[in-house]
Amino acid sequence: MGVLPVPAEVRAILLDIEGTTTPIAFVQDTLFPYIKDNIKEYLRAHWEEEECQRDVGLLRKQALEDSSLDGVVPIPLESGSGEEEQERVIQAVVDNVRWQMSLDRKTTALKQLQGHMWRAAYATGHVKGEVFEDVVPAIRKWREAGMKIYIYSSGSIEAQKLLFGYSTEGDILELFDGHFDTKIGPKVESESYRRIAESIGCATNNILFLTDVPREANAAEEADTHVAVVIRPGNAGLTDDEKSYYSLISSFTELFLPSST
């Protein structure tokens, strides 16, 4: 794919995670299966804790909102204090979470529980965040050239910090100047990129956004943000039109910063 010059007005690089800094397979084959395989054990271990009960309460509320959907699993209140009653409610939570994940839903209730489970998994070393080998050296070089580096992912900011704080490269959180998730807005809406620019104190055309998703690239472009689409192993294929329209890179090393000359 060669070298891609970074426009001179760019002052900040905004990075997607899945398919950009991190293999899609890590999310699909490690993070999500961890939830499905360990949720019952996690709930049993933490059931009496206030945080766990808040998570369950949020899931119960979401289940009520989802009551008209096919296959929804309601989560009952505990009607007694026995172990059998607790197991009944825990199983309902397990079934609800697996149902939501089967539909690839991204509800706040689901993301919150997942985040807390991943936090425990990272802290105990059961999971380490994967990053492509070109990521850390490239970001260090960009920072030396004066660039600010930000993350924008549909995963929560807490989940982002866990991935980079407990990564295969060690704790690399120091490489990032800030994090954004969908609380700033959906990644497929141009207004989100205007809000990010305002938040970091620059114009939208001072930002270069790297993503593997053309719909996100299109939204960023509509906001006058510079864009490059990242081609990584396991990423969804691009159409011929997308390949010819977007600037493409297969490694962060392909970005050429004028200020680094």
Side-chain angles (χ1 to χ4, degrees):
M1 250 151 266
V3 171
L4 178 66
V6 175
E9 67 263 31
V10 169
R11 298 287 177 269
I13 298 178
L14 183 64
L15 303 173
D16 170 47
I17 293 180
E18 187 178 353
T20 299
T21 66
T22 297
I24 284 178
F26 170 69
V27 177
Q28 295 179 344
D29 300 342
T30 300
L31 286 186
F32 287 151
Y34 180 86
I35 300 295
K36 293 176 183 176
D37 294 344
N38 293 277
I39 181 169
K40 184 176 283 190
E41 181 183 346
Y42 175 87
L43 290 170
R44 285 173 175 165
H46 299 277
W47 191 253
E48 303 298 333
E49 297 171 16
E50 185 179 338
E51 181 180 80
C52 185
Q53 284 301 308
R54 283 199 303 268
D55 291 347
V56 171
L58 209 57
L59 286 162
R60 184 179 285 121
K61 182 181 176 185
Q62 183 65 50
L64 286 171
E65 293 176 12
D66 293 340
S67 60
S68 62
L69 299 180
D70 286 342
V72 64
V73 181
I75 301 172
L77 291 164
E78 287 185 76
S79 58
S81 57
E83 188 175 319
E84 189 175 323
E85 176 63 12
Q86 179 178 305
E87 278 296 305
R88 183 176 76 93
V89 180
I90 285 175
Q91 188 60 53
V93 176
V94 170
D95 292 342
N96 178 279
V97 166
R98 288 177 175 163
W99 170 74
Q100 287 201 59
M101 291 181 69
S102 74
L103 299 176
D104 195 28
R105 303 193 75 207
K106 303 185 188 300
T107 63
T108 299
L110 178 62
K111 287 202 293 185
Q112 181 168 297
L113 175 67
Q114 288 174 329
H116 292 152
M117 285 188 65
W118 288 326
R119 181 181 64 197
Y122 282 115
T124 56
H126 284 102
V127 171
K128 284 188 181 293
E130 291 183 31
V131 292
F132 289 107
E133 61 181 15
D134 58 277
V135 169
V136 171
I139 292 178
R140 291 194 193 284
K141 187 175 180 181
W142 299 342
R143 291 178 64 87
E144 287 170 7
M147 286 290 172
K148 298 287 189 180
I149 312 297
Y150 298 89
I151 295 290
Y152 182 28
S153 172
S154 57
S156 69
I157 288 174
E158 180 181 21
Q160 297 173 28
K161 289 182 175 180
L162 287 169
L163 192 157
F164 294 118
Y166 296 92
S167 85
T168 49
E169 302 294 324
D171 182 350
I172 55 173
L173 282 171
E174 65 177 12
L175 298 179
F176 306 107
D177 295 282
H179 298 257
F180 299 96
D181 58 19
T182 51
K183 287 180 181 174
I184 199 102
K187 295 175 75 181
V188 294
E189 292 184 6
S190 58
E191 186 59 32
S192 303
Y193 300 89
R194 296 186 185 98
R195 292 190 192 113
I196 288 173
E198 184 178 359
S199 175
I200 63 181
C202 68
T204 51
N205 71 344
N206 296 141
I207 298 173
L208 170 64
F209 178 45
L210 304 184
T211 178
D212 63 310
V213 182
R215 284 184 67 209
E216 296 173 3
N218 186 55
E221 266 199 343
E222 286 179 0
D224 201 26
T225 297
H226 295 283
V227 169
V229 172
V230 184
I231 311 295
R232 297 284 199 183
N235 287 7
L238 302 178
T239 66
D240 288 341
D241 285 346
E242 289 166 346
K243 288 176 184 175
S244 61
Y245 178 77
Y246 290 109
S247 297
L248 307 177
I249 60 171
S250 60
S251 167
F252 285 5
T253 60
E254 293 170 11
L255 288 186
F256 176 75
L257 275 57
S259 55
S260 63
T261 55

